[in-house]
Amino acid sequence: MRQGRTTTAAIATIGALALGALMPIGAAAAGPAPTAVTPPPTDHSPAVLVEKMTGPKSLSATDTRWRVTGTDLGIMWDNGHGEILTAFGDTFGDWGGPGGGGGDWRSNVLLRSTDTDLSDGMAFDSAVEDAPGHAAEIIPSLKVNGQEMTTIPTAGIAVGERQYLAFMSVRQWGPPGEWDTNFSRIAYSDDNGETWNSTDGPEWTNTADGQHPFQMVAFERHEGYVYMFGTPNGRLGAAHVARVPEAQVLDKAAYSYWDGSWWALGDDAAAAPIVPPNVAELSVQYSEHTGGWLMTYLDENLDIVLRTASSPEGPWSERQRLASFADYPGLYGGYIHPWSEGGDLYFALSQWDPYNVYLMRAEIDEDGTVVNPNLIQNGGFERAVDGTMPAPWACTGNCGIDTNHAWAHGGNKQGWMRSNAGWIDIHQDVAVEPNTTYTLTGFAVTGGTPAEGSIGVRELGAGAATIGETTFEALGAYTRFEVTFHSGDRTQVQAFVGSHLNGDRWVQIDDLSLVKAKEQLPGLSVSMTSDPVAGSKVVREDVVTYTVTAATDSVTAETADLAIDLTGLVDDATLDSASVSSSIGTPALDGSTLRWTGAIPAGETLTVSFAATVRRDASRTDSQLIVTTDASAERAILTSCEGCESRLTAVHYDPRPPRPEFPDKPGKPDKPGKP
C-alpha cells in the first residue's frame, strides 16, 4: 500500500549509540519534586501497542522464519477451525525502507495463528510457503505498472470449509493516498489457504472515472448473510454495503446493494453511501459485546477511527479516534481481530516506516464508546521534534531521542538514556484514580556494562517509594515488560524506566502505555511498628515489641501471605516464642522467618505481634536490629508497606552510675594576678 502522508526527519547520532563524554550521575533512584500533570493533547491515542506482528523484532520473527521482513495490512479472519488466517499486502524479504520496496517482492502472503491470548501479542504458527522458510505469494500479479502492478488482499471470510479472500488489482500507484484499480475479485480456497482460485470468483470492474464503490471491501457474516462493505480505490471515497446469502458468495447476481432505503438485488450502481468520505482500508465486525456493528478505518486526518451502528446499513455514529497519526506517523490499516471480545478491541495497525504491522488494543463499553485510554502521553516518543526529551517526559541524568527505525521498536523514534555511574531514568507523571488497578507496559533493550535496571511506577517527589516494578539486567533485544499495580489512595503516580550503573551502559525504551486493568483487584496495605520506635537506641536486656498489621479493601475475604524476616533481629536479640500471636489464624516460625498465611475477612485487620530481648553481646556484633516484612495476596495487590523495614541500634550498656559533678568550693579566692 502507498502511504498518504510523507514525513522526513534527520537521523540523530547523538543518542544511545553515540560515543562521547559521559557524565557521572549520582542521583538516587527516585523522581524529582512532583509537578502538575500535563493534560493529554486533543489528538491523543487511546489505543495501546501490544506487540509487533511482523518483521525484525516481531513476536514471531517473521523476517527469519518466512522472509517477511517488510509488509503491511494484516487482514484477519477465523477459518472456522480454531485458526486465524492473516493476509498481508506487498511483502519484501530484502527490505531496507522506509516504506514499501526492496528485493524478494511478493504481492501478498498468508500466515496462520492459533494464539488465543492476545494480551501479550499475536504469534504465528505457520505460513503458506513455496519453499521451506519462505512465505509464498498466494494471489499472483503481473507486476507491470500501468497494467497490473500488484494484487492486494482487502478482506477474508470463511463459510463452511471454504475460505474467501477479496483482493484488488492495482493498475498503478498515484500520488499519496491515490491509486487506480482494474477490479476487485473474490478468490477462494478449499485447503485452508494453501492454494487459491483467483480467477473464477465474482469480479467488480472499476468504472471509467475510478469511482466504483466496491474496489476495496471488508467482509462480515451475520444471520445467514455475508455483508460486503466497500469503498472506491484510494483513500478519498465513501463507504457502501452489500450482502449475499452465505451459500452464494461466488454468485455475483445474488448480491443486493443498500440503496438508502432497501436492498437492490444485482444493481451495484444503486449503492448509496452509508459513511461519508474519507473512508480507507475499512474493517467491520459484528460485536456480541455491544450487540451492534463496529467499523474501523483511516479517515481524512490519517487517524484510525471507530464508528458504531445497530445495523450494517447504519446510521453510523460519529467517529472516535483509536490511534493518531501524531503518535504513529505513517499509520494505516486498522483491521479488527475477529477474536476481539468482552470490550477488548484488537486490531492490526500498519506503519509506513518501518513498513510493518503491530497488534493494537483499545477498550470499548457496551455502547461502543472507547473507554480506559492509554494514560501515558507520547508513549512511542514520535512527537519529539529534535533529539531532546519532550515534555511531559523528563530525565534523571543523560537522555534523549534517537530517530532511526532500525533502533526503534515501533515507528522510527525511541527514548534513550546513557551514562557510567549512579542512577539514570526516564519518567512521566500520570494522573490516576484512587483504589484502582492499572497495568504499565513498555519495551526496553540495553547495551554496555550489565547492571540492574527496572520499569515500574513510584510515588512522586524526592526519595519516593516504589509502588510496583519489574527488574532486568542485560537485554539483547527489545523485551516487553508488564507491571500491574494498585493506586491505593493516590491520584498521581510516576511511571519510569531506569538503571543503576557500574560502567558505560545505555537503555533504549519505546511504546509505553498505562491503562486501567481489565480485572480490578483489591488493595493490600501493610504496616509495621515497634516499641521502642524504629531508629531508637537499645541496650542489653531491653525488650522490643513489634506489631505488623495487614488489611484489604476487598468486599470479600482475601487470602494473603506475610513473611517477616527476623534474620537481622535474632543475631542480636532472643525471640520470645510465647509472645508470638495474631488476631486471625496462627503464625509459624520458619527458620528465621515468621510466616502468616490465611484469609483476611472483609473489613477486618490482621495483627501479628512478637517480642525479642536484646542480648548482652548485641553492641559487640553488627549492633543493628533489623526486621523486614514482605506481603503478597492471591488477588490483592500490595499498595503500601509503611515502616516495613525497622532498624534499631544496640549500644554498650555501662552499669556504673554516672560520676557526680562537684561545684567549686564556696569562698575560694580567685588566683591573684600580677600587678
Side-chain angles (χ1 to χ4, degrees):
M1 298 291 289
R2 285 296 179 92
Q3 175 53 32
R5 184 183 296 178
T6 302
T7 58
T8 59
I11 296 178
T13 58
I14 60 171
L17 303 184
L19 298 177
L22 298 177
M23 299 178 294
I25 307 298
T35 58
V37 176
T38 305
T42 56
D43 61 350
H44 180 65
S45 299
V48 301
L49 191 153
V50 181
E51 184 57 277
K52 193 174 186 182
M53 293 173 63
T54 64
K57 302 187 284 276
S58 65
L59 184 63
S60 300
T62 66
D63 55 330
T64 57
R65 290 178 69 185
W66 300 296
R67 297 285 291 162
V68 178
T69 305
T71 192
D72 66 352
L73 302 184
I75 291 95
M76 298 175 279
W77 73 97
D78 187 331
N79 73 348
H81 295 282
E83 279 187 316
I84 294 296
L85 304 188
T86 307
F88 296 95
D90 285 314
T91 299
F92 304 90
D94 300 313
W95 176 84
D104 189 17
W105 173 26
R106 289 142 285 169
S107 287
N108 41 73
V109 296
L110 182 71
L111 306 184
R112 305 184 185 95
S113 172
T114 57
D115 192 346
T116 58
D117 181 7
L118 302 177
S119 63
D120 59 355
M122 179 182 179
F124 293 107
D125 307 306
S126 66
V128 177
E129 297 177 315
D130 53 13
H134 189 267
E137 180 179 83
I138 59 172
I139 307 295
S141 66
L142 296 179
K143 298 180 176 62
V144 177
N145 192 36
Q147 296 185 45
E148 184 181 68
M149 189 64 181
T150 189
T151 48
I152 303 294
T154 66
I157 200 76
V159 180
E161 297 299 314
R162 177 165 283 176
Q163 310 298 319
Y164 297 96
L165 179 66
F167 67 95
M168 61 176 171
S169 169
V170 178
R171 183 168 65 253
Q172 60 192 6
W173 296 115
E178 300 180 34
W179 56 86
D180 299 317
T181 57
N182 298 306
F183 56 81
S184 66
R185 186 185 292 160
I186 298 178
Y188 59 94
S189 170
D190 293 324
D191 55 8
N192 199 32
E194 279 294 315
T195 59
W196 293 86
N197 183 326
S198 61
T199 59
D200 298 338
E203 177 180 303
W204 288 263
T205 303
N206 204 357
T207 55
D209 62 359
Q211 293 301 307
H212 189 278
F214 292 94
Q215 293 300 288
M216 301 171 62
V217 305
F219 289 146
E220 177 62 312
R221 287 176 61 190
H222 187 60
E223 296 182 344
Y225 287 97
V226 171
Y227 287 86
M228 183 174 74
F229 298 80
T231 65
N233 50 207
R235 293 183 172 143
L236 306 178
H240 308 74
V241 63
R243 71 182 186 184
V244 64
E246 288 183 356
Q248 297 176 277
V249 172
L250 296 180
D251 182 1
K252 185 180 178 184
Y255 283 74
S256 298
Y257 303 85
W258 182 254
D259 65 6
S261 59
W262 193 244
W263 299 95
L265 180 64
D267 186 7
D268 55 1
I274 59 170
V275 176
N278 293 359
V279 181
E281 292 123 20
L282 78 165
S283 178
V284 182
Q285 181 190 68
Y286 178 79
S287 169
E288 297 290 346
H289 178 66
T290 66
W293 295 75
L294 310 175
M295 176 189 290
T296 59
Y297 64 90
L298 184 75
D299 73 357
E300 64 270 19
N301 299 317
L302 299 185
D303 294 338
I304 300 297
V305 297
L306 169 70
R307 288 184 188 258
T308 63
S310 58
S311 62
E313 65 272 19
W316 288 85
S317 69
E318 293 299 315
R319 290 171 288 179
Q320 301 178 76
R321 181 184 293 106
L322 294 176
S324 167
F325 188 95
D327 290 315
Y328 303 96
L331 86 173
Y332 57 104
Y335 293 96
I336 301 173
H337 194 296
W339 291 348
S340 296
E341 59 183 9
D344 285 324
L345 183 64
Y346 289 97
F347 59 96
L349 176 80
S350 298
Q351 276 194 280
W352 187 243
D353 185 8
Y355 196 63
N356 267 293
V357 184
Y358 297 82
L359 184 68
M360 307 288 292
R361 174 189 170 272
E363 188 175 342
I364 57 175
D365 63 17
E366 292 182 352
D367 295 324
T369 302
V370 178
V371 295
N372 299 335
N374 182 9
L375 300 179
I376 293 285
Q377 298 181 46
N378 195 14
F381 304 96
E382 301 294 336
R383 295 176 185 256
V385 296
D386 54 28
T388 60
M389 186 62 61
W393 289 108
C395 307
T396 302
N398 186 36
C399 77
I401 300 294
D402 275 322
T403 303
N404 187 328
H405 65 242
W407 295 348
H409 176 263
N412 63 8
K413 295 178 183 176
Q414 95 287 332
W416 61 265
M417 63 194 89
R418 184 177 186 180
S419 195
N420 54 17
W423 165 267
I424 53 174
D425 71 39
I426 298 173
H427 56 267
Q428 183 178 136
D429 296 349
V430 183
V432 295
E433 299 175 21
N435 304 311
T436 304
T437 309
Y438 290 91
T439 299
L440 171 70
T441 304
F443 296 83
V445 62
T446 68
T449 306
E452 184 178 280
S454 58
I455 175 172
V457 291
R458 60 196 177 203
E459 296 180 338
L460 275 59
T466 298
I467 303 167
E469 68 176 351
T470 186
T471 60
F472 56 83
E473 192 165 298
L475 304 173
Y478 269 109
T479 304
R480 184 179 190 271
F481 292 95
E482 189 172 282
V483 179
T484 298
F485 68 97
H486 193 283
S487 60
D489 60 357
R490 306 170 185 90
T491 58
Q492 293 185 52
V493 298
Q494 189 171 89
F496 72 92
V497 183
S499 180
H500 298 281
L501 303 168
N502 54 23
D504 181 16
R505 172 176 169 85
W506 60 88
V507 181
Q508 294 163 284
I509 63 174
D510 207 353
D511 297 318
L512 282 89
S513 63
L514 195 158
V515 296
K516 189 180 296 185
K518 286 284 290 182
E519 182 183 9
Q520 286 297 300
L521 301 173
L524 170 67
S525 58
V526 179
S527 66
M528 180 170 65
T529 60
S530 65
D531 183 16
V533 298
S536 299
K537 295 178 180 179
V538 294
V539 299
R540 68 186 190 192
E541 307 303 331
D542 276 354
V543 176
V544 184
T545 59
Y546 294 87
T547 302
V548 179
T549 61
T552 75
D553 60 5
S554 176
V555 295
T556 61
E558 295 291 340
T559 300
D561 295 278
L562 268 68
I564 306 170
D565 187 355
L566 307 179
T567 305
L569 173 68
V570 296
D571 61 345
D572 295 308
T574 301
L575 178 67
D576 180 2
S577 57
S579 69
V580 178
S581 64
S582 60
S583 60
I584 304 168
T586 304
L589 193 61
D590 178 14
S592 59
T593 301
L594 183 62
R595 298 186 183 278
W596 183 95
T597 300
I600 303 176
E604 295 191 23
T605 299
L606 165 70
T607 301
V608 178
S609 302
F610 57 95
T613 302
V614 181
R615 292 202 301 269
R616 295 176 62 87
D617 61 348
S619 63
R620 294 195 293 270
T621 56
D622 67 1
S623 75
Q624 295 293 304
L625 282 67
I626 304 171
V627 177
T628 304
T629 296
D630 192 15
S632 62
E634 186 175 345
R635 294 180 65 252
I637 299 175
L638 185 65
T639 61
S640 65
C641 199
E642 185 177 353
C644 283
E645 181 177 278
S646 172
R647 290 174 178 263
L648 294 94
T649 303
V651 297
H652 178 66
Y653 173 64
D654 188 347
R656 294 174 297 177
R659 295 177 62 185
E661 295 183 2
F662 297 98
D664 291 336
K665 293 180 180 180
K668 181 178 179 181
D670 291 335
K671 185 176 180 180
K674 295 181 180 180

